[in-house]
Structures are given as structure tokens and as C-alpha cells.
Amino acid sequence: MTLKNGSFLTLLDYSAEEIEYLLDLAAALKAQKKAGIPHRVCEGKNVALIFEKTSTRTRCAFEVAAADLGMHPVYLDPSASQIGKKESIADTARVLGRMFDGIEYRGYGQERVEALAKYSGVPVWNGLTNEYHPTQVLADMLTVREHFGSVRGKKLVFMGDARYNMASSLMIGCAKLGMDFTACAPQKYFPPKDLIAKCEAIAAVSGAHLCFETDPSAAVQGAHVIYTDVWVSMGEDESVWKTRINDLEPYRVTREIMAIAGVQCRFMHCLPAFHDLETGIGLDIYQKFGLTCMEVENEVFEGESSIVFDEAENRMHTIKAVMAATLAEGLQAAIQA
Ligand code: CP
Ligand code: NVA
């Protein structure tokens, strides 16, 4: 298996075998890290990390992973660079492609990360766009594998705004890997129809079942994972909060919902999460609408079924696998050594 020189833009471009290879590689690199075994398989390379939206996990995962692989990461904040204002993506890509061995991009439309890949001539990794968040799903799948032994045949229910990057990428990942996927939301928050059609064709091969359900109690029966995300994503206007709260409150992950799913069920969230009043936005929403939590109750977030911090840690191991797979020479031999 070689993914060398490839980009990682959406899981749609990767076969189930390639995704499983990345998960195996991430698990091997994680074990090496825990054992204190160095794995500087990309020694001397340089990577650019472009963030047009804010980040804690993704940025730190790329920076730590790059350092562990022996690389030098350069963080580019659009407010302090020419990107978008004075220089197009195509021009930026051609400049960065001359200096860097790989480029990470977090920002708005998927077409921006596609253009970077097209014009830079080096591997480009999607660190989140409006449409997809593929590195997050790799971390999620590794976490599911660690907690349940395998992904195939397990059931993941996504509750909340299922039109956006997280639900779309989870649906693709599940369809590819044979994991049952249910989107539980009001009908107008279901994933885009064209993506559902693509995923149904993929699921027909893998054996995954895709389901779209408006009733939370019916959706979560027998779920292994209940997953949620913020109700308003980065880049959306603040004015949407009122409607979003009205529409999505019945889809909050509560203790009752976890109990209906059963004791086997684990709670997952890509983070950041609004589960208490310890954030600026959380407090603002409380003052305006009286809510003490949004997409998940604090008792679920902090409860025994919650595996959100295992998931967050796995961002680093899986992002490392993506960079190593697309950049390192002689990777297989280096990892087995
Ligand atoms: N889950 C995730 O992408 O987190 P950040 O926004 O902190 O990178
Ligand atoms: N849907 C969220 C995911 C954050 C990791 C957003 O795009 O803001």
C-alpha cells in the first residue's frame, strides 16, 4: 500500500483498504510514541499549516505530529499573511509548493483545499472545510476500534446538524468501513441529497446501513456510539442561533437518550463542545436563551460513557499517519524496525 505523494481532501477519494491502512499506521505510531520509540521518518521536511478558521486540536495535532516525524511546521494565520486578501489560493499554492513538502488547509469551501492540491504540486491535507473534516473521522474510527475492537457492524448515530462537515464525513467513513450510520435530525438538517446517494452506493458494497430518522428514541436503539457536534459551525452568522436552538433542542444528547441506547453506548464529540457555562459563547447563549448546555448535557459529557478525550488524543496519532503515509520514504520498513 502506498499513498505517497497523494493528498487527503475527503474520505470519498480513499478506499476502505486505504482508510484501514491509515488506521493501522496510526495505531503503530501511537504504540511507538507510548513506548518512547522515535519515528522521525520525515526528517528534514517542512510543512505549511494554513488556518483560515480557529483551531485547538487540529493545529496542535499537526504541529506535534510534524515535530515527532522530524519535520518543521510553519503556521500561517490568514490575518498575518497575504492569503485571500492580496493573493489568490492558486498563487499561494504555487509559492508554498516551492518551499514546502506538504500543506495543511483549514478554511471555508472545499474548492479552496482542492485548488491548493491542484496548484501546489505537493500533498495537501484537509484540516476542515465547510463540507468535510476527514482527519477528524480517522481519529473517530481509531477511537471506535480501540473501544469496540472493530468498526464493521457497529452502529453510530449522529444527532444534531447533520448537513455540515462532521455528519457528512462520518457518513462517508461509516459507509466505507461497513459501520451503520444514522443521521437523527429534523428533515431539513439531513445531509445533502447528492452525498447520501454517493454514500448509499458505497454502503451497498461495504454492507453498512444508512438511516435518516427524525425521532431520537427510535434512532438510538442499539447504538454503539452517539455522536454530536455544535449546532452552529465556524463561519456561520450569529443570527442563526435562535432558529438553530428551536430546531435542534429535541436532538440534544441527554442521559435519557443514552439510557434508551443502552449500556454499550459511548458518547463522542469532535469538540469543542457546549456542555456547561464555562465558555464565552455558552454564557452568552445562557443570558439570551436560558440554556445551561446545548448539544450535550454536562452529565453525559462528563459521564462514564464519554470517550471524547480519547478521541481528541487520537487526532494527533491519525494526523501523523496521514502525513507519514503521504510524505515518508520507506515507511513500512521504518515502522516495523
Ligand atoms: N475537532 C476539531 O477539529 O477541533 P479544533 O477546531 O480545535 O481543531
Ligand atoms: N462543525 C464544526 C466542527 C468543528 C470541529 C465546525 O465546522 O465549526
Side-chain angles (χ1 to χ4, degrees), residues 64-283:
V64 171
D68 285 357
L69 292 171
M71 299 196 285
H72 175 60
V74 174
Y75 176 74
L76 282 154
D77 166 3
S79 68
S81 75
Q82 315 288 20
I83 300 168
K85 298 179 296 292
K86 284 176 72 181
E87 197 157 33
S88 68
I89 286 283
D91 291 356
T92 305
R94 284 175 288 180
V95 173
L96 298 183
R98 301 283 182 115
M99 298 187 197
F100 292 96
D101 299 287
I103 303 169
E104 179 277 353
Y105 173 83
R106 162 171 289 199
Y108 296 91
Q110 180 71 9
E111 70 285 352
R112 292 170 77 76
V113 77
E114 307 271 353
L116 268 175
K118 180 173 172 193
Y119 291 106
S120 66
V122 296
V124 171
W125 312 295
N126 181 352
L128 178 147
T129 57
N130 294 343
E131 291 84 352
Y132 302 117
H133 197 6
T135 62
Q136 177 70 49
V137 172
L138 279 187
D140 298 339
M141 292 303 178
L142 181 63
T143 311
V144 169
R145 241 168 64 158
E146 289 172 348
H147 281 270
F148 292 100
S150 72
V151 169
R152 186 166 298 280
K154 304 294 182 299
K155 173 178 171 178
L156 182 147
V157 180
F158 181 94
M159 293 183 63
D161 183 359
R163 302 163 307 169
Y164 224 69
N165 43 23
M166 271 320 309
S168 291
S169 289
L170 284 164
M171 178 168 70
I172 301 166
C174 288
K176 294 259 177 183
L177 297 182
M179 186 176 193
D180 293 345
F181 172 86
T182 298
C184 179
Q187 204 136 16
K188 66 178 178 177
Y189 290 87
F190 283 169
K193 282 205 169 63
D194 56 336
L195 185 63
I196 292 179
K198 278 185 198 161
C199 288
E200 275 175 342
I202 297 165
V205 177
S206 73
H209 297 100
L210 307 185
C211 182
F212 304 91
E213 175 62 63
T214 55
D215 174 4
S217 306
V220 301
Q221 302 280 341
H224 296 88
V225 173
I226 295 180
Y227 198 118
T228 191
D229 183 13
V230 289
W231 289 343
V232 175
S233 285
M234 287 184 277
E236 291 197 277
D237 196 86
E238 269 186 35
S239 61
V240 302
W241 271 113
K242 190 169 189 295
T243 318
R244 217 47 73 71
I245 288 170
N246 279 336
D247 290 345
L248 296 180
E249 254 209 287
Y251 298 88
R252 172 179 298 133
V253 183
T254 59
R255 283 161 287 177
E256 290 71 30
I257 276 296
M258 292 297 292
I260 293 168
V263 287
Q264 78 292 339
C265 188
R266 296 288 171 270
F267 172 71
M268 294 179 72
H269 192 309
C270 53
L271 307 183
F274 293 119
H275 58 96
D276 58 19
L277 300 180
E278 300 299 319
T279 64
I281 293 177
L283 202 54

